[in-house]
Amino acid sequence: MNQLFALPYNMLIANVDDDVDDREFFSDALRSVDPQIPCVLFENGSELLDYLENSKSLPDYIFLDINMPKMNGYECAQEIKSNYHSEEIQIVMYSTAFNPLDLQKFARDGFKYIVKQNTLTDLVQSIRNVISPVVIIQPVGKP
């Protein structure tokens, strides 16, 4: 069977990471998931919060690096949660660090979590898992 991933149209994703290489890697992975999904990139939480305050369209998903200077990802996520309806924006904590206590805290606050991946294939799969595509199963040879 072939599986086609049907992603919602008009989806917007934001990525916040202080490392330019990680932002580019994330952007490349998202283009591999679906080149039609727009992605806005930010160097820190303050830039993202300014964008959210002044934008007419909110991202559907925000991938936040946890360890950033000025304002860490968790602080930024708390700010978003207190100012925007949680059902409008899905927050995904995104880091190389894995701390089980953080996972409990994120789950309690309604945030998702993924580990930064080392390969494009793995990051593409992680993003696909998070943005919850609808899987349409079609038999081979059938339109």
Side-chain angles (χ1 to χ4, degrees), residues 2 4 136-143:
N2 292 339
L4 302 175
I136 302 170
I137 300 178
Q138 294 180 335
V140 175
K142 301 258 178 165

Side-chain angles (χ1 to χ4, degrees), residues 74-118:
Y74 187 69
E75 292 166 339
C76 184
Q78 289 296 336
E79 185 77 20
I80 294 165
K81 185 178 176 184
S82 68
N83 291 311
Y84 300 92
H85 297 291
S86 59
E87 64 272 358
E88 291 179 30
I89 302 173
Q90 293 292 312
I91 297 173
V92 183
M93 306 309 290
Y94 178 63
S95 183
T96 54
F98 177 80
N99 180 339
L101 295 177
D102 283 344
L103 286 180
Q104 292 173 0
K105 180 170 56 173
F106 300 155
R108 181 193 69 223
D109 291 337
F111 306 145
K112 296 181 181 184
Y113 173 81
I114 63 170
V115 174
K116 287 185 180 181
Q117 301 294 330
N118 294 323

